[in-house]
Amino acid sequence: GGSMHLYFPENNFYGGNGIVGAQVPVGTGVALAAKQKGDGTTVVCAFGDGAANQGQVYESFNMAKLWKLPIIYLCENNRYGMGTSIERAAAVTDFYTRGD
């Protein structure tokens, strides 16, 4: 778990989440708020390869692109999500190409 339950908004750290991939829509929402405030903030949202096939992750990517949100999605690919190799869990294992 590590940082999944840390939350420190005074330093703009909105933590993770106990649900795989749930931090991605949260980060997208923080980026939407930053855009609406116009404060120049860029959000960095990290997730693991185990979350890469979650529908909420795809939808967040789509909304961020449509709305031109100030967000960087960072996928930590250790090749195993929840103990399953990416070759067994994903048809496309080059996750960086999903934004093409």
Side-chain angles (χ1 to χ4, degrees):
S3 66
M4 74 167 49
H5 299 295
L6 296 177
Y7 183 80
F8 192 41
E10 295 82 9
N11 278 4
N12 296 317
F13 185 79
Y14 294 94
N17 198 294
I19 306 299
V20 174
Q23 72 276 18
V24 178
V26 171
T28 304
V30 173
L32 176 60
K35 181 178 180 180
Q36 290 175 339
K37 285 195 248 180
D39 63 6
T41 296
T42 298
V43 174
V44 177
C45 181
F47 62 96
D49 52 283
N53 293 321
Q54 295 282 323
Q56 60 193 352
V57 173
Y58 280 106
E59 191 60 29
S60 294
F61 292 169
N62 189 50
M63 290 188 310
K65 179 63 177 172
L66 286 172
W67 299 338
K68 298 177 177 47
L69 299 182
I71 187 166
I72 298 167
Y73 295 104
L74 173 67
C75 180
E76 180 183 352
N77 184 357
N78 66 6
R79 305 194 60 79
Y80 286 88
M82 304 297 288
T84 303
S85 71
I86 59 172
E87 290 80 12
R88 291 183 58 208
V92 176
T93 59
D94 293 329
F95 298 124
Y96 66 91
T97 64
R98 294 183 179 185
D100 292 347

